[in-house]
Amino acid sequence: MPAFAQYEEDESFQNELSYGINFNSNGGLIGGAFIRSSYFRNNRMYQFGEIEVVEVKHPKENRLYSSETGDFFVAGKQNYLFVIRPRYGREIVLFRKAAESGVQVNAVGAIGPSLGLLVPYYIRYNYGGGLGGQDVRTEQYDPQKHRNLENIQGNASFVQGFGESDVNIGVNLKGGLSFEYGRYRESIAGIEVGFVVELFPKEMIIIPQADNEQFFTSVYLNLYYGRRK
């Protein structure tokens, strides 16, 4: 009887909306953010759609500081790589929590396209450096033009290059486990851990003088919060 009552309570919810932040092995301190909408299918399965936005960093990124201005820049970086990942997926309940408390464990799988944005990385470069003059120009980093790191005075805002983004369409797949806390029909919170594999049709050039990839793998951790209706 309690199991049947719990099933009825599950079945009565139509939608779960959650959102959170992403940490992954290809990102920085915070990799990105996501929002997800889940729907009940049966007492063992949910379907969901989600959109995730992350920044992918090159493993050889090295932050330096200008001796003139104190501002930082990433040596050799030519592009940011931002990826938008709309996905469709399923969650399968492995261990169900009690209606009032406990932890529910779900297996998660999802697939979808990857919209990879190579956004020009702009730096402030002093062409008058070493001559006692000032001729500071804001330009996309070019290893042929900007050879003297001492003349780089810092990076410009990443927003500056968005209008010149190179758009690339790829595909991604993720799998993981979700550990959900909270009461049914009320607020929920949890963590999700797993892996992502992603493929683009060409190499995504972030640092031109280093090896760049078109196939990416990463492990991730999501922290999320949401509500059921």
Side-chain angles (χ1 to χ4, degrees), residues 3 6-11 13 16 36 38-48 90-108 176-193 222 224 228:
Q6 181 174 309
Y7 170 78
E8 288 295 312
E9 188 171 11
D10 251 359
E11 190 175 32
F13 105 86
E16 176 183 291
R36 175 187 297 175
S38 301
Y39 297 88
F40 176 88
R41 286 184 62 88
N42 57 54
N43 68 324
R44 300 296 295 178
M45 183 180 294
Y46 307 91
Q47 66 180 8
F48 65 87
R90 298 284 181 93
E91 287 188 73
I92 299 174
V93 179
L94 301 179
F95 302 100
R96 187 176 296 282
K97 64 185 175 184
E100 294 299 322
S101 63
V103 179
Q104 179 167 305
V105 182
N106 297 343
V108 180
L177 293 173
S178 173
F179 302 87
E180 180 185 299
Y181 306 86
R183 297 179 177 182
Y184 287 107
R185 301 182 57 81
E186 295 183 4
S187 63
I188 61 166
I191 64 173
E192 181 184 318
V193 295
N222 288 341
Y224 65 86
R228 282 180 163 169

Side-chain angles (χ1 to χ4, degrees), residues 20-67:
I21 56 176
N22 168 275
F23 304 87
N24 68 80
S25 55
N26 290 336
L29 179 62
I30 296 179
F34 68 94
I35 185 168
R36 175 187 297 175
S37 182
S38 301
Y39 297 88
F40 176 88
R41 286 184 62 88
N42 57 54
N43 68 324
R44 300 296 295 178
M45 183 180 294
Y46 307 91
Q47 66 180 8
F48 65 87
E50 69 178 10
I51 296 180
E52 181 178 76
V53 181
V54 299
E55 181 184 0
V56 176
K57 294 181 178 289
H58 196 286
K60 292 190 176 181
E61 290 194 17
N62 182 25
R63 178 179 287 197
L64 301 179
Y65 290 86
S66 167
S67 58

Side-chain angles (χ1 to χ4, degrees), residues 62-66 69-75 80 121-124 152-156:
N62 182 25
R63 178 179 287 197
L64 301 179
Y65 290 86
S66 167
T69 66
D71 294 340
F72 75 88
F73 62 94
V74 178
Y80 296 97
Y121 182 78
Y122 277 88
I123 59 168
R124 304 192 310 277
I152 300 177
Q153 297 193 345
N155 64 271

Side-chain angles (χ1 to χ4, degrees), residues 81-145:
L81 175 55
F82 296 101
V83 185
I84 303 171
R85 300 168 178 155
R87 297 190 183 107
Y88 170 78
R90 298 284 181 93
E91 287 188 73
I92 299 174
V93 179
L94 301 179
F95 302 100
R96 187 176 296 282
K97 64 185 175 184
E100 294 299 322
S101 63
V103 179
Q104 179 167 305
V105 182
N106 297 343
V108 180
I111 191 170
S114 295
L115 187 65
L117 305 178
L118 283 172
V119 180
Y121 182 78
Y122 277 88
I123 59 168
R124 304 192 310 277
Y125 192 83
N126 184 12
Y127 283 92
L131 302 177
Q134 290 289 317
D135 180 13
V136 180
R137 306 176 197 174
T138 301
E139 300 174 329
Q140 182 182 12
Y141 173 77
D142 183 336
Q144 301 304 316
K145 294 172 60 178

Side-chain angles (χ1 to χ4, degrees), residues 140-215:
Q140 182 182 12
Y141 173 77
D142 183 336
Q144 301 304 316
K145 294 172 60 178
H146 309 125
R147 299 187 178 188
N148 189 349
L149 295 181
E150 293 295 322
N151 290 358
I152 300 177
Q153 297 193 345
N155 64 271
S157 169
F158 73 91
V159 177
Q160 184 164 346
F162 256 104
E164 304 167 57
S165 298
D166 177 18
V167 181
N168 301 268
I169 305 296
V171 64
N172 74 89
L173 171 71
K174 81 166 184 176
L177 293 173
S178 173
F179 302 87
E180 180 185 299
Y181 306 86
R183 297 179 177 182
Y184 287 107
R185 301 182 57 81
E186 295 183 4
S187 63
I188 61 166
I191 64 173
E192 181 184 318
V193 295
F195 67 92
V196 175
V197 294
E198 190 162 45
L199 177 66
F200 290 98
K202 68 175 185 179
E203 289 186 357
M204 308 299 278
I205 306 300
I206 301 174
I207 297 180
Q209 294 175 307
D211 291 333
N212 292 273
E213 303 291 339
Q214 65 184 104
F215 179 71

